[in-house]
Amino acid sequence: MDLNMIAGPLVGAVIGYFTNSIAVKMLFRPLHPVKIGNFTLPFTPGLIPKGQGRLAKAVGNTVSEQLLTEEMLSEQLLSDSMKDKITGEVENFLQNQTENTNSLHEVMREYVTMEKIEEKKDAIEEVIVDKIEYYLNTADIGRIVASEVIKEVNQHVKGTLLALMVSDELLTPIAKKIEERVNDYIANDGMLFIASAINMEADQLLNQSISVYGEKLYEEREILKKLAISTYESFIKSKMHDIICQLDIQQLVENKINEMDAAEVEKLVLSIMKKELNAVVNLGAVIGFVIGIINVFI
């Protein structure tokens, strides 16, 4: 009688344990359909591999609508802690540049060829020279110089006998010649001199140690940090919606899960719910044990 009383609950516990264990394993196994000829055995593949598409869709929907929403991402990206990280990175970057002994030329050569550097430098110099020439021509420097020279001559001879000889008829052709000569010099030798000076300055800037510029920038670090934060906030606020739409988080997650092998899906689910599934198996043993005790007293 004592043995029968113990055997019933024990058998019930074993049955409950193995039943739930098999049920849990059937969630994942077999990983692929089992066929006999054209006939597919029932419950193959396991429930999760069979419903991988639905699982992917559900997870993608949950992630996009409840976890990685536009509001949540914006709030996180615009949080004080994130801004502190950005200002900290700007501070560190500027500090490092004050100790950077490389020249700007050396840094640029790590990313582009010498030919490209020279090409870009020549293009920039050409634009600057053209702009200077345009503004000099617009300012009509030749006329201004000629006018000032004539004014000085009149001022110099004023009150002397030469004033009787220096008339407008005499000075006007001279002024015209001065104007022509000045404009001709600006258009030719003057622009060559300016181009050469700009080229020398450009070479000096490119070969200057970055630390020289870094020290000047570091002095303005507070302004630069505010500018960085302002630019960052503006970008997040104006572009976050477009970024989320372009990413299409739901489809991204769904595709990623669908691309996973059935074994990888099993590993993923078990990494999240292994303890809970083991609890289900153990619960089967407990329920079987309780049912066995109840049967003994019925």
Side-chain angles (χ1 to χ4, degrees):
M1 180 64 67
D2 292 341
L3 183 60
N4 290 334
M5 290 181 64
I6 296 173
L10 288 178
V11 171
V14 171
I15 293 173
Y17 179 87
F18 281 103
T19 300
N20 279 19
S21 178
I22 292 171
V24 167
K25 289 187 180 297
M26 287 180 66
L27 291 173
F28 307 100
R29 303 293 173 139
L31 298 176
H32 306 286
V34 177
K35 292 181 175 290
I36 300 176
N38 294 327
F39 177 73
T40 302
L41 290 180
F43 305 109
T44 65
L47 295 178
I48 289 180
K50 188 174 183 178
Q52 186 170 340
R54 295 194 303 274
L55 174 65
K57 191 173 185 65
V59 173
N61 186 61
T62 301
V63 170
S64 65
E65 294 189 3
Q66 299 184 36
L67 299 180
L68 297 180
T69 63
E70 181 179 339
E71 293 75 15
M72 186 277 290
L73 288 173
S74 296
E75 182 180 349
Q76 184 63 33
L77 291 173
L78 294 174
S79 64
D80 291 338
S81 61
M82 183 61 73
K83 293 177 185 177
D84 290 341
K85 289 179 182 179
I86 292 173
T87 54
E89 288 297 324
V90 173
E91 175 88 22
N92 292 336
F93 174 78
L94 294 175
Q95 177 64 49
N96 291 335
Q97 301 319 301
T98 63
E99 303 169 1
N100 192 340
T101 57
N102 292 326
S103 69
L104 186 58
H105 212 164
E106 290 171 331
V107 173
M108 292 174 65
R109 280 202 316 239
E110 294 180 5
Y111 303 97
V112 294
T113 62
M114 281 293 298
E115 291 76 12
K116 280 290 183 182
I117 294 175
E118 291 299 322
E119 181 182 326
K120 291 297 181 183
K121 189 187 76 168
D122 292 343
I124 293 172
E125 289 173 1
E126 184 178 349
V127 170
I128 294 173
V129 171
D130 288 345
K131 287 292 183 182
I132 292 175
E133 184 176 13
Y134 169 77
Y135 286 117
L136 287 176
N137 291 333
T138 302
D140 200 359
I141 300 297
R143 184 184 60 78
I144 293 173
V145 171
S147 176
E148 289 298 319
V149 169
I150 298 304
K151 187 187 296 184
E152 284 297 321
V153 170
N154 285 327
Q155 188 69 26
H156 188 70
V157 301
K158 186 177 181 181
T160 68
L161 292 175
L162 289 175
L164 300 174
M165 300 173 61
V166 178
S167 63
D168 290 341
E169 289 78 8
L170 177 66
L171 293 178
T172 297
I174 296 174
K176 190 68 176 174
K177 277 293 182 184
I178 292 173
E179 181 178 347
E180 290 175 357
R181 290 294 180 86
V182 170
N183 287 337
D184 183 63
Y185 177 81
I186 290 174
N188 296 288
D189 296 340
M191 295 315 301
L192 289 174
F193 174 79
I194 290 173
S196 176
I198 291 174
N199 184 272
M200 291 175 60
E201 287 295 322
D203 286 337
Q204 184 177 350
L205 289 173
L206 287 172
N207 291 308
Q208 184 72 271
S209 171
I210 288 179
S211 60
V212 174
Y213 308 112
E215 289 171 0
K216 295 177 181 178
L217 290 174
Y218 191 72
E219 292 173 359
E220 305 296 331
R221 61 188 179 279
E222 295 303 324
I223 294 175
L224 292 173
K225 286 192 284 189
K226 289 179 181 178
L227 177 62
I229 291 298
S230 175
T231 304
Y232 173 74
E233 287 181 336
S234 177
F235 175 79
I236 294 298
K237 290 176 181 178
S238 62
K239 298 298 182 182
M240 178 53 71
H241 179 73
D242 293 338
I243 292 173
I244 294 295
C245 290
Q246 287 293 324
L247 283 176
D248 194 357
I249 293 175
Q250 178 175 347
Q251 193 62 49
L252 191 67
V253 174
E254 186 176 338
N255 290 342
K256 185 62 179 177
I257 294 177
N258 280 326
E259 289 170 3
M260 294 173 70
D261 184 77
E264 291 179 310
V265 176
E266 177 184 7
K267 184 177 180 181
L268 173 64
V269 175
L270 288 177
S271 68
I272 301 170
M273 301 185 62
K274 188 173 183 178
K275 289 183 178 179
E276 288 75 10
L277 293 175
N278 286 335
V280 171
V281 174
N282 294 331
L283 181 61
V286 172
I287 293 174
F289 186 80
V290 170
I291 293 174
I293 291 176
I294 292 173
N295 284 335
V296 168
F297 292 100
I298 293 178

